[in-house]
Amino acid sequence: MPMSEYYRDLRRHIGTRLLFSPSVVAIIHNEQNQILFVQEVGSRTWGLPAGAIEIGETPAQAMVREAYEETGLKVVPRHLLGVFGGEEFRWTYPDGNKVEYINFVFECAVVKGKLEAIDGEIANHEYFSPSCLPKLQFPYPKEFFYANPNPKTFFQPSPGGQPFSP
């Protein structure tokens, strides 16, 4: 789905200035433990199924909706794999709109569906092996992409590079 009415209204007030966008991202494995990537219409790069959380949605509800819109697959979020944000997760769209994403990354299980774009934003879908990933839009850790039966939630290290400790 293109930009929601909520974000269109915000943009009417603030123009292209930087804004926060709480968003969800899906890691979807197939039977060969490859990860599903999507390619937007007109883009040469690949990304993960993702999108903004809308007003009134929980992150899990947004994940189910976004995965369906971009892939045609009905998914169930199984684990929260990580939460990411900050300057490394800023993006400027071709129209000049600037956003800093706060990404909730979920490992999702496919319940049913046929791989197809529903929202018109996605041109292609392809599964990639964790050892041979395409160039990523954002700096997710490589270990993120390997199937793990007991995943732990990953938090970015502090700006100095040190991991957070209890």
Side-chain angles (χ1 to χ4, degrees), residues 14-28:
I14 68 163
T16 61
R17 290 189 354 223
L18 183 67
L19 61 81
F20 279 117
S21 181
S23 301
V24 292
V25 177
I27 303 289
I28 300 170

Side-chain angles (χ1 to χ4, degrees), residues 25 28 30 39 51 58 96 107 129 133 135 138 146 157:
V25 177
I28 300 170
N30 65 10
Q39 188 177 46
T58 67
E107 181 177 35
S129 166
L133 295 176
K135 184 175 187 312
F138 296 116
Y146 290 91

Side-chain angles (χ1 to χ4, degrees), residues 33-112:
N33 284 322
Q34 297 170 313
I35 299 100
L36 179 61
F37 282 81
V38 296
Q39 188 177 46
E40 291 183 359
V41 172
S43 178
R44 294 177 184 222
T45 60
W46 293 88
L48 295 161
I53 300 169
E54 299 296 339
I55 297 292
E57 278 186 318
T58 67
Q61 288 171 322
M63 186 72 274
V64 170
R65 177 184 53 77
E66 285 290 345
Y68 178 73
E69 288 175 359
E70 293 193 358
T71 69
L73 301 174
K74 300 277 186 171
V75 302
V76 174
R78 295 287 188 207
H79 304 284
L80 178 64
L81 293 177
V83 180
F84 298 88
E87 289 184 22
E88 293 178 318
F89 288 82
R90 288 186 183 173
W91 186 255
T92 302
Y93 284 91
D95 63 4
N97 287 333
K98 295 175 181 74
V99 66
E100 184 173 307
Y101 290 110
I102 302 164
N103 287 341
F104 296 86
V105 183
F106 291 92
E107 181 177 35
C108 296
V110 175
V111 177
K112 66 180 177 177

